Amino acid sequence: MKVSMPMRATAVAAALVLGLAACGGGSDEPEDTPGAAEPTGEPGGEYIAEITEPSFLAPTTNCYESECSAILDMINDPVVSTDFESGELVYDGLAESIEANEDNTVWTVTLKEGRTFHNGEPVDSEAFARAWNYSQNPKNAQATAGFLARIQGAGEGKEMSGLNVVDERTFEVTLNGPFSQFGQMMSYSPAFAPVAQECFDDFKACNEEPIGTGPYTMDGAWQHDQQIAVAKWADYAGDQPATADKVTFQMFTTPTAAFRDFQNGGLDVIQLAPEVYLEAKGQLGDEILEEPTATLTYLGFPLGTEPFDEKLVRQAISLSIDRQLIVDQVLNGQAYPSTDIVTPPIPGSRDDACDYCTYDPERAKELLDEAGFNAEGQTLQFYFNADAGHDQWVEAAARQVQENLGFDYKLQSTEWAQYLELLDAQKFTGPFRLGWSLDYPSPENYLRPIVGTNGDSNYTGYSNQEVDDFIEQGDQAGSTEEAFEFYQQAGDIALEELPIIPMWSGGAAIAFSDEVGDVYFDVGEGEIAFKEISVTQ
């Protein structure tokens, strides 16, 4: 859900590898991925990859975007993972078993024996209780607190009545109501990770050098706006892969600067932005790894601000944008125009759900006229995060709105961390761009956080009781097919009212040097499978 839970907001453009999110576990086999390099050698060595400056590293529960998730997925084990094809749980994390009672209201988690944090503290039930209770407490304002909202007593005080420690390795979770996907939800690592007491005692220090449970540890403190390095943990006893001995994530001021460093032999793995894609394609050809992702890019509206409080205006703006033209001419074909809020790889998505996602400038003008709004002399502010490849497509969309409806436009961009602060503070007066990547493969993972009332990524403030009710009925459905019908009814209402306008689902374009191999994009994780990249020895 990277806006997130179960997914997250993504910082990088659609044509890049968007790592917002988190979770879930499913993975494509490297040998099945067109363009993936052949294995290059035994475990060991080190490589350098590009990343945008994360917003947080600790507490992990404050991580609800792709950049921090990419780091935390290296240094934390998940509680459990989800098989992307079957939806079944995979016990490759900290949990030995997760069992529900008959009506899916009480869940018992049994932890694996002998697991520790990097500092030697035990990974026990108390470590989970302190993390989850801290996150759910409204006073702590954690970005992923919504993931815990289903637990009895969440948001009502320091401790949840529905979270009970049974013994060192067992704890019991009582939900407010039935939810068949709670096990899958726990595959979103940042929201459900345990916290070491040492970290809990000093989150500020832990943010600079997090203490995790996974196969990699921090190799020195976070060097802001420069790099984050992680190294293989010698005492790791878990099941997650860790091929290279060391991985350094470097930050750059622009995608072009990052690509120049790649060309000069500095970077080994890079997420290609639209502005460098054609140059990279000309230089590297079929060596670039390209494949679809589950990431959704959309424009949201400030629903309390004129003229965006009028549904007809929102519909008109959506119809005035030629998504396919932008994909072809700006994104170089590395995206797929939206037909639904739920992206195509997700079970339950549809290819004809969005009536206002097609390009129809005449109808757009008719709807604007029907709304009684005159765009002449009006200026729309378009917001997006800088240095992540969004500049060109946002301006292209703004220009189309201008040409077809008559609005003037201004572009407002800022760095990712500041951009999230702007969204949190609701300090935007026009359309804003965001991305969403799945936390687990379910339509619920898109609808609840983006258009559900008080959803974790609902920055528009949209609230519709019918939407909430249909999502709730989907949660309680007796079968997957029945659940999808309810989720789709919720999606139909949101796609009629358009608090957000879906733009496209992403495509991944990854370039990598001949010093590394086993490079592939993990659709379930929503990011490059950094832990599995091997280095030529």
Side-chain angles (χ1 to χ4, degrees):
M1 303 173 311
K2 335 198 190 254
V3 266
S4 302
M5 162 163 61
M7 204 41 270
R8 335 122 241 184
T10 55
V12 190
L16 329 183
V17 174
L18 299 172
L20 196 171
C23 77
S27 64
D28 295 332
E29 294 299 326
E31 58 270 29
D32 292 336
T33 303
E38 293 297 324
T40 57
E42 297 296 321
E46 61 183 87
Y47 69 90
I48 302 173
E50 178 219 9
I51 198 169
T52 299
E53 173 86 350
S55 55
F56 295 96
L57 291 183
T60 58
T61 47
N62 223 7
C63 172
Y64 207 27
E65 44 94 351
S66 54
E67 310 310 295
C68 57
S69 290
I71 302 298
L72 293 176
D73 284 347
M74 304 285 284
I75 62 176
N76 280 320
D77 263 7
V79 178
V80 67
S81 294
T82 302
D83 184 278
F84 197 72
E85 297 294 330
S86 68
E88 298 296 323
L89 298 181
V90 179
Y91 294 98
D92 59 354
L94 298 172
E96 180 177 278
S97 66
I98 298 174
E99 298 179 354
N101 66 351
E102 188 172 349
D103 67 356
N104 294 316
T105 57
V106 180
W107 294 72
T108 301
V109 180
T110 301
L111 302 175
K112 291 177 179 174
E113 190 172 5
R115 298 299 305 276
T116 69
F117 290 94
H118 296 153
N119 66 349
E121 290 183 39
V123 178
D124 55 18
S125 299
E126 290 292 345
F128 279 90
R130 80 169 69 97
W132 293 16
N133 279 324
Y134 179 85
S135 177
Q136 62 81 34
N137 189 339
K139 291 183 178 179
N140 298 321
Q142 295 299 283
T144 63
F147 284 83
L148 303 172
R150 294 177 180 277
I151 302 175
Q152 282 187 0
E156 299 176 0
K158 291 184 178 181
E159 297 183 354
M160 295 180 286
S161 58
L163 177 58
N164 297 300
V165 172
V166 177
D167 57 38
E168 288 186 355
R169 293 177 50 213
T170 309
F171 60 94
E172 193 173 83
V173 183
T174 302
L175 306 181
N176 294 316
F179 184 44
S180 61
Q181 300 297 297
F182 188 68
Q184 284 76 7
M185 181 183 283
M186 281 191 281
S187 66
Y188 181 58
S189 180
F192 293 96
V195 173
Q197 185 63 52
E198 181 181 344
C199 188
F200 197 78
D201 293 339
D202 191 346
F203 276 134
K204 186 176 181 181
C206 196
N207 186 56
E208 302 306 309
E209 202 161 346
I211 302 168
T213 60
Y216 287 91
T217 66
M218 292 289 286
D219 187 26
W222 176 2
Q223 299 178 45
H224 291 271
D225 299 315
Q226 297 183 40
Q227 68 175 39
I228 295 172
V230 299
K232 192 182 293 185
W233 181 28
D235 295 331
Y236 180 64
D239 300 320
Q240 293 295 306
T243 305
D245 286 341
K246 179 178 177 179
V247 182
T248 300
F249 294 92
Q250 290 189 349
M251 300 89 169
F252 295 84
T253 54
T254 66
T256 300
F259 185 61
R260 294 289 174 261
D261 195 65
F262 174 80
Q263 289 176 306
N264 293 327
L267 281 172
D268 293 302
V269 183
I270 182 175
Q271 306 172 359
L272 294 173
E275 54 262 55
V276 301
Y277 172 79
L278 288 180
E279 182 181 357
K281 189 69 175 177
Q283 177 183 346
L284 302 171
D286 293 339
E287 294 179 12
I288 295 176
L289 175 63
E290 301 180 62
E291 54 189 49
T293 74
T295 300
L296 169 70
T297 292
Y298 63 90
L299 290 174
F301 294 108
L303 300 182
T305 302
E306 293 184 347
F308 310 108
D309 57 346
E310 170 55 62
K311 177 180 70 175
L312 294 174
V313 174
R314 302 193 296 269
Q315 293 171 344
I317 290 174
S318 184
L319 287 167
S320 72
I321 299 174
D322 189 340
R323 292 162 175 77
Q324 188 64 60
L325 185 66
I326 295 175
V327 166
D328 292 341
Q329 297 191 357
V330 181
L331 303 180
N332 302 308
Q334 290 298 295
Y336 306 86
S338 291
T339 57
D340 195 352
I341 294 174
V342 183
T343 56
I346 306 302
S349 67
R350 295 168 290 171
D351 60 8
D352 59 353
C354 183
D355 290 338
Y356 301 99
C357 292
T358 54
Y359 179 55
D360 191 340
E362 292 185 7
R363 188 182 177 201
K365 191 66 172 63
E366 291 173 358
L367 290 175
L368 193 66
D369 292 341
E370 185 178 340
F373 192 84
N374 184 359
E376 185 176 353
Q378 302 294 318
T379 299
L380 303 185
Q381 308 277 345
F382 284 78
Y383 296 81
F384 58 97
N385 54 302
D387 303 328
H390 302 301
D391 307 55
Q392 295 179 25
W393 77 256
V394 172
E395 182 165 14
R399 188 179 299 119
Q400 290 181 350
V401 173
Q402 180 188 51
E403 292 173 353
N404 292 317
L405 296 179
F407 289 103
D408 291 330
Y409 68 87
K410 287 187 178 179
L411 305 180
Q412 302 279 352
S413 65
T414 186
E415 294 183 358
W416 177 237
Q418 287 70 44
Y419 187 66
L420 289 178
E421 291 176 1
L422 180 145
L423 295 178
D424 285 335
Q426 302 282 293
K427 292 182 178 178
F428 49 87
T429 60
F432 59 89
R433 100 82 224 174
L434 263 183
W436 182 259
S437 184
L438 85 165
D439 300 303
Y440 50 86
S442 167
E444 182 268 344
N445 188 223
Y446 287 72
L447 296 169
R448 174 171 277 109
I450 300 175
V451 297
T453 299
N454 298 322
D456 287 329
S457 192
N458 184 352
Y459 291 101
T460 68
Y462 179 67
S463 178
N464 184 303
Q465 190 60 53
E466 274 192 288
V467 171
D468 295 339
D469 288 345
F470 279 129
I471 293 175
E472 193 68 24
Q473 291 177 70
D475 294 347
Q476 299 177 15
S479 68
T480 298
E481 182 178 355
E482 183 184 4
F484 285 177
E485 291 178 2
F486 286 121
Y487 292 141
Q488 289 173 352
Q489 290 180 76
D492 286 342
I493 296 172
L495 288 168
E496 173 66 23
E497 299 197 327
L498 291 181
I500 62 114
I501 55 175
M503 294 297 289
W504 41 72
S505 55
I510 309 168
F512 48 92
S513 73
D514 57 7
E515 300 297 320
V516 298
D518 297 307
V519 180
Y520 73 101
F521 186 81
D522 188 327
V523 175
E525 295 287 352
E527 62 195 24
I528 298 172
F530 291 111
K531 290 182 289 191
E532 300 186 44
I533 292 176
S534 63
V535 181
T536 302
Q537 303 295 301

